[in-house]
Amino acid sequence: MEAQRIAVDAVVVLTDCDRDAAIAFIRRLYLSGVKDPKRLTFKGLQALARS
């Protein structure tokens, strides 16, 4: 759970995006097996850049 919190905080600070959207996306990644906060943050930022 700590990894999710770190990743969400980082994505929200870096992009000023909607916190609920970041939580939902990071949670899906976490449940799919990604547990490293740096990896979660990187994937979250990649997804926001594509949208």
Side-chain angles (χ1 to χ4, degrees):
M1 293 302 279
E2 182 71 13
Q4 288 182 52
R5 187 188 61 75
I6 292 168
V8 168
D9 289 346
V11 169
V12 169
V13 167
L14 292 170
T15 64
D16 198 33
C17 72
D18 179 47
R19 186 170 196 79
D20 292 332
I23 289 170
F25 183 78
I26 298 292
R27 186 166 291 144
R28 281 195 309 269
L29 287 174
Y30 189 83
L31 292 174
S32 73
V34 181
K35 305 293 185 196
D36 178 34
K38 290 178 189 171
R39 187 99 174 118
L40 287 169
T41 302
F42 179 71
K43 285 184 169 282
L45 292 172
Q46 276 185 323
L48 285 171
R50 279 184 255 142
S51 25

